Amino acid sequence: MPSSYQAPSRGDQAKKTTSQSAQSNISHETATVEQLISKKGGTTFTISSSDTLSTAVTVLRDRRIGALLVTGADGALEGILSERDIVRKLAETPGQTLPQSVGENMTAKVETCAPGDALVTVLRRMNEGKFRHMPVVDQGKLCGMLTIGDVVSYRLNELEYEALQLKQMIVG
């Protein structure tokens, strides 16, 4: 069977393909925390460090959320109190936990992100640190909180959109 391939002549512009690095495959318009917060909207729930765990549990239940940001009178972030913090304390001090203060039981060293941070970076930090809530702070001012669910959902939507674009490009 004769071959139908013809080598390009010198006058033809042959297209070259090159392998791409992982970095070059990343979109130049990387999604940021700010984009997610603006789409998400909503309220960030806070509590005072002097409130009791009983109050915190009630707020968590009523608002159907998993964590509260602990703020001072000036609104500055002092810590975070999650369901995990409360469950651990319940195991340590059964029957004596709910009257304790939020300040005694919160996580004081809080990982935060900024509005300009890339979502993929925030997701990686949350995954590596094994935490599900991250406050967003801009120039010392609290401006929201991301959950792992928020970030994963946003990223899945991005991936679905990218897959659709690729399918359309292939189909033509």
Side-chain angles (χ1 to χ4, degrees), residues 1 9 20 36 55 66 68 85 88 90 96-97 101 105 128 138 143 146 150 156:
M1 199 185 260
S9 67
Q20 295 180 336
L36 178 55
T55 302
L68 290 164
D85 296 325
R88 287 183 182 134
L90 282 167
Q96 303 166 17
T97 305
S101 76
N105 297 284
E128 289 170 359
D138 188 20
C143 50
L146 293 181
D150 296 332
L156 284 174

Coordinates of all heavy atoms in Angstrom, one line a residue, residues 1 9 20 36 55 66 68 85 88 90 96-97 101 105 128 138 143 146 150 156:
M1 N 0.8 -1.2 0.0 CA 0.0 0.0 0.0 C 0.9 1.2 0.0 O 1.8 1.4 0.8 CB -0.9 0.0 1.3 CG -2.1 0.9 1.2 SD -2.9 0.9 2.7 CE -4.2 -0.2 2.4
S9 N 7.3 21.1 1.8 CA 8.4 21.7 1.0 C 8.9 22.8 1.8 O 8.4 23.3 2.7 CB 7.8 22.1 -0.4 OG 6.9 23.2 -0.2
Q20 N 4.3 21.0 26.9 CA 4.1 22.1 27.8 C 4.4 21.7 29.2 O 4.1 20.6 29.6 CB 2.6 22.6 27.8 CG 2.3 23.2 26.4 CD 0.8 23.7 26.4 OE1 0.0 23.2 27.2 NE2 0.5 24.6 25.6
L36 N -14.1 34.5 44.8 CA -15.0 33.5 45.4 C -15.9 34.3 46.5 O -17.1 34.1 46.5 CB -14.2 32.4 46.1 CG -15.0 31.4 46.9 CD1 -16.1 30.8 46.0 CD2 -14.1 30.3 47.4
T55 N -23.1 29.1 74.4 CA -23.5 30.1 73.5 C -23.0 29.7 72.1 O -23.8 29.8 71.1 CB -23.1 31.5 73.9 OG1 -23.6 31.8 75.2 CG2 -23.5 32.5 72.9
G66 N -20.0 25.4 60.8 CA -19.0 24.5 61.5 C -18.0 25.3 62.3 O -17.2 24.6 63.0
L68 N -16.8 29.4 64.1 CA -17.1 30.8 64.4 C -15.7 31.5 64.5 O -14.8 31.0 65.2 CB -17.8 31.0 65.8 CG -19.3 30.5 65.8 CD1 -19.8 30.4 67.2 CD2 -20.1 31.5 65.0
D85 N -12.9 21.7 67.9 CA -12.4 22.2 69.2 C -13.4 21.8 70.3 O -12.9 21.4 71.4 CB -12.3 23.7 69.1 CG -11.2 24.2 68.2 OD1 -10.2 23.5 68.0 OD2 -11.4 25.3 67.6
R88 N -13.4 18.0 71.0 CA -12.2 17.5 71.8 C -12.3 17.9 73.2 O -12.0 17.1 74.1 CB -10.9 18.2 71.2 CG -10.5 17.6 69.9 CD -9.3 18.1 69.3 NE -9.0 17.5 68.0 CZ -8.6 18.2 66.9 NH1 -8.5 19.5 67.0 NH2 -8.4 17.5 65.8
L90 N -15.1 18.3 74.9 CA -16.1 17.5 75.5 C -15.5 16.1 75.9 O -15.9 15.6 77.0 CB -17.3 17.2 74.5 CG -18.3 18.3 74.3 CD1 -19.2 18.1 73.1 CD2 -19.1 18.5 75.5
Q96 N -18.5 19.2 82.0 CA -18.0 20.5 82.5 C -17.6 21.4 81.3 O -17.0 22.5 81.6 CB -16.7 20.2 83.3 CG -17.0 19.3 84.5 CD -15.6 18.8 85.1 OE1 -14.6 19.4 84.8 NE2 -15.7 17.7 85.8
T97 N -18.0 21.1 80.1 CA -17.5 21.8 79.0 C -18.3 23.0 78.6 O -17.7 24.1 78.4 CB -17.5 20.9 77.7 OG1 -16.7 19.7 78.1 CG2 -16.9 21.5 76.5
S101 N -15.3 29.2 78.7 CA -15.3 30.3 77.8 C -14.7 29.9 76.4 O -13.9 29.0 76.3 CB -14.5 31.5 78.3 OG -13.1 31.2 78.2
N105 N -10.8 27.9 74.8 CA -10.9 26.7 73.9 C -10.8 26.9 72.4 O -10.7 26.0 71.6 CB -12.3 26.0 74.1 CG -12.4 25.5 75.5 OD1 -11.9 24.5 75.9 ND2 -13.2 26.3 76.4
E128 N -3.2 20.6 53.5 CA -2.0 20.2 54.2 C -2.1 20.5 55.7 O -1.6 19.7 56.5 CB -0.8 21.0 53.7 CG -0.4 20.6 52.3 CD 0.6 21.5 51.6 OE1 1.0 22.5 52.2 OE2 1.0 21.2 50.5
D138 N -7.7 41.4 55.2 CA -7.1 42.3 54.2 C -6.6 43.5 55.0 O -7.4 44.2 55.6 CB -8.1 42.8 53.2 CG -7.5 43.6 52.1 OD1 -6.3 43.6 51.9 OD2 -8.3 44.4 51.4
C143 N -12.5 40.2 56.5 CA -13.5 40.5 55.5 C -14.2 39.3 55.0 O -14.9 39.3 54.0 CB -12.8 41.2 54.3 SG -11.3 40.5 53.7
L146 N -13.6 31.5 54.3 CA -13.8 30.5 53.3 C -13.9 29.1 54.0 O -13.2 28.9 55.0 CB -12.6 30.4 52.4 CG -12.3 31.6 51.4 CD1 -11.1 31.3 50.6 CD2 -13.6 31.9 50.6
D150 N -16.5 25.6 50.0 CA -16.6 26.7 49.1 C -15.6 26.6 48.0 O -15.8 26.8 46.8 CB -16.4 28.1 49.8 CG -17.4 28.4 50.9 OD1 -18.6 28.0 50.7 OD2 -17.1 29.1 51.8
L156 N -14.4 22.9 41.2 CA -15.1 22.0 40.4 C -15.9 22.7 39.2 O -15.8 22.2 38.1 CB -16.1 21.1 41.2 CG -15.5 20.1 42.1 CD1 -16.5 19.4 42.9 CD2 -14.8 19.0 41.2

